[in-house]
Amino acid sequence: HETLAEAENNVNALASPYDNIVAFTQTLYVRVVSSVLTTDCATIVTMALNVLTTPEVPLDLDDYVICDTNSDGFVQFDLTTKDTEILGTQDPLQYTLTYHTSQGDADTGSGAIVNVNSYTNVTNPQTIYVRLEGANGCWKTGSFEIRADLPPTIVQPTPLNLCDDGTADGMTTFDLTVKDSEITAGDGSLFVSYYNSSADAQSGANAIAPATSYVNMSVNGNPANPQTLYVRVTDGDTGCTAFTTLTIRVLPNPTPSLDPSDLVLCDDTNTGDGVEMFDLTENQAYILNGEGGVTATYHESPEDAQAGTGAIADPTMYTNLNTDNTPQTIYVRVTNGTTGCYVVVDFDIRVDPLPGAVAVSDYILCEVNTDGFAQFDLTGKDTEVLNGQDPLLFNVTYHATQADADNLVNALSSPYTNTSNPQQIFVAITNVNSGCSISTPSFNIEVDNGAQANADLAPIVQVTCDTLGGNDGLAQFDLTQNNAEVLDGQDPTDFTVTYYLTQANAELGVNPIPNTYENISNPQVIYVRVDNDERDAAGMDASICYAVAQVTLRVDLLPIFDLDDRYTLCIDTNGTEVIGPPILDTGLAAGTYTFVWSLDGTELTGETGPFLTASQGGTYSVEVTNATTSCVNTDSAQVIVSSPPTVTVEVATQAFSDNGVIVAEATGDGIYEYSLDNGPWQESGTFEGVSFGEHVVTARDINGCGEASGTVTLLNYPQFFTPNGDGRNETWNIVGFADQPSTKIYIFDRFGKLLKQISPSGQGWNGTYNGEQMPTSDYWFSVEYVEPSTGQQKQFRSHFTLKR
């Protein structure tokens, strides 16, 4: 029982097993009764429940890795370095920690490693088992892995040179990480850290951080320049390290004067434009400060000066940019020609404007149902008052009296409520640099009844299809169709509605566009002005109040597509055509548009797709409708019929002609061109200067509808032959008489001696007589033949050369 009372009353007896409810030590009360006697007598005794603490061993002990410098895979490990990680916050005096080479030894507490301070692994990697046992005999085991890894391979870096950061103290900020890739040879698995001492690099302590902004050290008040840094490279996979050094050097900067005075000119030339010509070199001697080996360049932006680009070509005759850049900063780059180190000095150039005064228009506010008084933002008149003068150089103030304006006192604050209607306001313009002032301008402020344009602010968009011109997004609009939406319930008899190209024109009420208007862009925003037509007692317009709103004109384009003007349909083909049946393709999507095709004015039933394959010649047209906008466009194309040719080829010259001519003629439905022996194509079928032998003439349809060929032979003889055994020109014969076997060919030497009679269909003469080789010389021949072009029997004589 948990309490004495429960034990005495024999209630709430506990069941076993039982979970204690008091930590570590809890007292229970035991009721003992006789199991033999039938009396209710009982004895109550106490019993203590004690819970002993079990040691805690982390489940995920870190691997113990040592770099193997001799690459044999075995090193000595000091296992005691794991003690703190294993014990954590547990008191080491209350526990016994042992290391084992097997789980079984750790479980039994036997075979503990003796040389824990210098244990050499037996495998690589090797699992080490730990046993943590408390004084109460409770224990727990865990394990970790020991491993020997190789150090990374690194490269000795070149020195890192930087110019002084501008303080001329021999110190600057280095981004050391720019050397990482050089040191690691681009190995992304290696991690580089930098240190001020070799000891820190070896221990990995006090790494320079951040390495992207390291300032070289100062030793006894003097900069360490050059300075040696120590580099530690860690393999991210193994944790092994390698070491090297890095030299950093600070190069001195030029020492120019840093406070040149500004250059100031009055706006004398073309007064009011704020532009003058400056000699920027006026301060150059002062800036260079007598230093040798340096040069100065002048720049319009600090970025150009820092980069050394965009130098002003002639700084002695420099025109400042414009009034918006007055004053304008000029940046001078002073560069050491040897080191390239530089310092940028700047000064301002300024054109002081002369105050100018112009007539100022009245300032009228419009209020619906006005009481004659309103708040005026007088500063809204500044731009008009300055009339283009730089607001950074001129101060505009507004005053209730001329005397206040003259004396620059009692300036009115905005917003300002008028004290009478209308009320005169006096203006003063002051040059903030020179103090020059003028106070001649004035204007009235007045409150009038107002007007509204598109008061509900719902967008007004007028849409039409592009029915004018070449589907260019331009169309005519009747702008009056927008009037009711613009007025939003205002009585049209009390207001005038006009339209303008620009908001400025609408605000001024000038250059209205006609109510029948053709847009100039698509979409185009135009501006609508609603004028209050209030009349005074004399019937005159008593209100200048108006309101301006936007109207968007949009022209929905006709479907955009373009059929070719002409297509070709090949008929009677022979397999040599290079084009198939023509496809007239709009290139539009069927789901977005509908299509109606016609041939020679007759609708082609069933042709409702975006393209059509033509099967006959004629004029095809298509009507395309945009399914969303209902805008319609049409186009047409001519399909012409063409076919491959029928070709005849003839020789137009007689045998042995010096200028061989072949004439070919092609007939058919197409337009044809000709080629001789796969040569260039030409319009004429006549070929002159053709060599003797067999030739092929090809005719083709210029539209790609096929071709045909014919073969002819020109009769002639070779001028020489070379029977020297090289396989070329070994025999001599007349070409083209193979189909005239009755032709007789006789060969003579130059003295008229008959050497050989040959047949035109034979191998020809091999240059021998009675088995003896004939010498190099000219030889004569005669041939008796039938002229192919006339059918007449003829004889021809000439000579040729035998070459050895």
Side-chain angles (χ1 to χ4, degrees):
H1 302 264
E2 289 181 334
T3 67
L4 177 60
E6 288 177 345
E8 289 175 342
N9 296 316
N10 194 25
V11 295
N12 299 327
L14 300 177
S16 185
Y18 170 74
D19 294 332
N20 60 311
I21 61 174
V22 179
F24 298 107
T25 301
Q26 178 180 349
T27 300
L28 295 183
Y29 298 88
V30 184
R31 176 186 177 91
V32 183
V33 297
S34 173
S35 61
V36 177
L37 301 177
T38 59
T39 66
D40 292 330
C41 296
T43 299
I44 307 299
V45 297
T46 60
M47 177 177 68
L49 302 180
N50 295 311
V51 178
L52 303 180
T53 301
T54 300
E56 295 290 333
V57 175
L59 296 176
D60 54 345
L61 292 172
D62 294 334
D63 293 346
Y64 184 1
V65 180
I66 295 179
C67 290
D68 181 10
T69 57
N70 62 4
S71 304
D72 64 355
F74 299 94
V75 294
Q76 285 189 346
F77 293 81
D78 182 1
L79 302 180
T80 64
T81 60
K82 302 292 286 183
D83 290 3
T84 301
E85 181 183 1
I86 295 169
L87 286 167
T89 60
Q90 300 171 103
D91 185 355
L93 299 178
Q94 303 298 319
Y95 299 90
T96 300
L97 174 60
T98 55
Y99 296 83
H100 305 264
T101 59
S102 70
Q103 183 65 54
D105 286 352
D107 290 338
T108 62
S110 61
I113 296 173
V114 177
N115 55 331
V116 291
N117 297 102
S118 58
Y119 176 73
T120 301
N121 57 310
V122 295
T123 62
N124 190 28
Q126 178 182 350
T127 301
I128 299 297
Y129 301 86
V130 300
R131 176 187 177 94
L132 185 61
E133 183 172 347
N136 57 14
C138 294
W139 56 272
K140 185 169 284 188
T141 65
S143 66
F144 61 94
E145 192 169 86
I146 60 176
R147 186 173 71 251
D149 287 332
L150 294 176
T153 301
I154 61 175
V155 176
Q156 173 67 43
T158 57
L160 177 57
N161 299 326
L162 282 183
C163 295
D164 195 293
D165 59 7
T167 58
D169 58 358
M171 303 179 70
T172 193
T173 302
F174 292 81
D175 179 2
L176 305 179
T177 63
V178 300
K179 287 293 184 177
D180 288 3
S181 179
E182 180 181 355
I183 293 170
T184 62
D187 188 345
S189 66
L190 302 183
F191 300 92
V192 182
S193 52
Y194 301 85
Y195 302 82
N196 283 315
S197 70
S198 177
D200 283 349
Q202 294 294 330
S203 64
N206 304 315
I208 294 172
T212 55
S213 56
Y214 174 74
V215 179
N216 56 311
M217 297 176 61
S218 175
V219 180
N220 298 324
N222 296 313
N225 185 28
Q227 178 184 344
T228 299
L229 297 180
Y230 299 86
V231 185
R232 178 188 180 101
V233 181
T234 304
D235 189 317
D237 297 325
T238 67
C240 292
T241 57
F243 304 88
T244 186
T245 59
L246 170 65
T247 299
I248 59 175
R249 301 170 66 234
V250 180
L251 304 177
N253 286 326
T255 57
S257 300
L258 301 178
D259 58 343
S261 47
D262 296 337
L263 302 181
V264 180
L265 294 177
C266 291
D267 189 8
D268 294 324
T269 305
N270 193 20
T271 298
D273 66 357
V275 175
E276 294 294 325
M277 183 177 293
F278 291 81
D279 179 4
L280 303 180
T281 65
E282 285 183 13
N283 295 324
Q284 182 161 300
Y286 176 80
I287 293 172
L288 295 182
N289 199 24
E291 185 176 0
V294 296
T295 57
T297 55
Y298 296 80
H299 305 264
E300 292 179 333
S301 72
E303 293 81 7
D304 282 351
Q306 292 291 339
T309 59
I312 295 171
D314 185 359
T316 65
M317 300 180 65
Y318 175 71
T319 301
N320 61 310
L321 294 179
N322 53 54
T323 56
D324 293 335
N325 289 317
T326 300
Q328 177 187 346
T329 301
I330 298 297
Y331 301 89
V332 186
R333 178 187 174 105
V334 180
T335 306
N336 185 301
T338 302
T339 66
C341 293
Y342 68 92
V343 172
V344 175
V345 180
D346 65 77
F347 61 88
D348 286 342
I349 59 174
R350 189 178 75 245
V351 177
D352 281 342
L354 305 179
V358 294
V360 181
S361 62
D362 291 340
Y363 186 178
I364 299 176
L365 287 181
C366 296
E367 282 187 338
V368 178
N369 301 319
T370 185
D371 61 356
F373 297 92
Q375 288 188 331
F376 290 81
D377 179 11
L378 299 178
T379 62
K381 302 292 285 184
D382 287 359
T383 300
E384 181 182 357
V385 169
L386 290 174
N387 192 33
Q389 298 174 95
D390 189 348
L392 298 177
L393 297 178
F394 295 89
N395 185 39
V396 179
T397 54
Y398 301 88
H399 305 266
T401 68
Q402 183 67 60
D404 286 351
D406 292 341
N407 296 309
L408 298 178
V409 296
N410 302 321
L412 302 178
S413 300
S414 286
Y416 172 72
T417 302
N418 57 312
T419 59
S420 63
N421 192 28
Q423 178 184 351
Q424 187 176 9
I425 300 295
F426 302 88
V427 185
I429 308 170
T430 305
N431 186 309
V432 297
N433 293 319
S434 66
C436 296
S437 176
I438 190 168
S439 55
T440 57
S442 68
F443 61 93
N444 289 327
I445 57 176
E446 181 178 353
V447 184
D448 287 346
N449 282 321
Q452 293 178 305
N454 191 23
D456 62 3
L457 301 180
I460 302 176
V461 181
Q462 186 175 0
V463 182
T464 187
C465 287
D466 187 352
T467 56
L468 295 178
N471 202 29
D472 54 2
L474 304 179
Q476 281 191 348
F477 293 82
D478 178 6
L479 301 181
T480 62
Q481 295 179 6
N482 301 302
N483 287 2
E485 193 172 357
V486 170
L487 291 173
D488 270 339
Q490 297 176 102
D491 189 347
T493 62
D494 294 336
F495 298 88
T496 298
V497 180
T498 49
Y499 296 85
Y500 302 83
L501 288 180
T502 67
Q503 184 170 358
N505 285 353
E507 296 289 347
L508 296 173
V510 297
N511 302 320
I513 58 178
N515 289 331
T516 300
Y517 174 69
E518 182 175 334
N519 62 308
I520 58 176
S521 63
N522 189 32
Q524 179 183 351
V525 174
I526 63 173
Y527 299 85
V528 58
R529 174 183 172 123
V530 178
D531 283 280
N532 190 322
D533 291 339
E534 180 179 332
R535 305 286 174 174
D536 60 15
M540 302 298 293
D541 189 350
S543 174
I544 64 168
C545 291
Y546 66 93
V548 174
Q550 291 185 358
V551 173
T552 299
L553 306 180
R554 192 184 79 225
V555 178
D556 285 337
L557 297 181
L558 307 184
I560 298 175
F561 66 98
D562 186 20
L563 298 178
D564 291 342
D565 293 335
R566 175 172 165 173
Y567 296 83
T568 300
L569 174 65
C570 296
I571 63 173
D572 301 328
T573 56
N574 59 12
T576 62
E577 66 277 7
V578 296
I579 59 173
I583 299 176
L584 285 62
D585 193 355
T586 65
L588 301 176
T592 306
Y593 303 88
T594 60
F595 306 84
V596 176
W597 292 88
S598 300
L599 173 59
D600 294 331
T602 301
E603 182 177 339
L604 298 175
T605 304
E607 292 291 350
T608 60
F611 62 87
L612 177 144
T613 301
S615 59
Q616 56 183 303
T619 300
Y620 288 80
S621 62
V622 60
E623 180 184 274
V624 181
T625 304
N626 186 309
T628 301
T629 66
S630 298
C631 294
V632 180
N633 199 5
T634 61
D635 197 7
S636 62
Q638 184 74 27
V639 176
I640 63 171
V641 174
S642 192
S643 67
T646 298
V647 63
T648 58
V649 184
E650 294 179 351
V651 176
T653 53
Q654 295 186 2
F656 307 109
S657 173
D658 291 334
N659 179 27
V661 177
I662 294 177
V663 177
E665 182 179 5
T667 58
D669 290 330
I671 299 174
Y672 304 105
E673 56 185 3
Y674 304 84
S675 170
L676 175 66
D677 298 329
N678 295 319
W681 295 94
Q682 61 184 47
E683 293 181 357
S684 170
T686 300
F687 299 89
E688 297 182 356
V690 182
S691 62
F692 67 90
E694 185 178 88
H695 297 276
V696 176
V697 178
T698 302
R700 69 177 180 184
D701 176 61
I702 64 173
N703 293 311
C705 285
E707 61 184 38
S709 300
T711 302
V712 294
T713 300
L714 268 70
L715 303 176
N716 216 323
Y717 65 94
Q719 299 293 319
F720 68 93
F721 77 114
T722 58
N724 52 16
D726 63 358
R728 294 180 299 175
N729 301 318
E730 294 291 336
T731 60
W732 183 92
N733 205 343
I734 295 178
V735 177
F737 287 123
D739 59 346
Q740 294 190 34
S742 61
T743 298
K744 295 180 176 59
I745 302 172
Y746 302 93
I747 299 173
F748 308 89
D749 65 10
R750 61 179 181 168
F751 303 104
K753 180 180 180 180
L754 178 64
L755 302 178
K756 186 71 173 179
Q757 178 182 348
I758 60 175
S759 169
S761 59
Q763 294 297 319
W765 184 44
N766 62 4
T768 63
Y769 177 69
N770 291 333
E772 295 292 327
Q773 291 185 349
M774 299 301 291
T776 296
S777 182
D778 275 1
Y779 293 84
W780 291 83
F781 72 92
S782 68
V783 55
E784 298 173 358
Y785 67 99
V786 176
E787 171 56 45
S789 61
T790 63
Q792 296 178 341
Q793 184 71 33
K794 301 184 73 174
Q795 184 182 57
F796 178 77
R797 293 176 180 270
S798 188
H799 60 89
F800 61 91
T801 301
L802 185 155
K803 297 181 181 180
R804 294 288 184 187

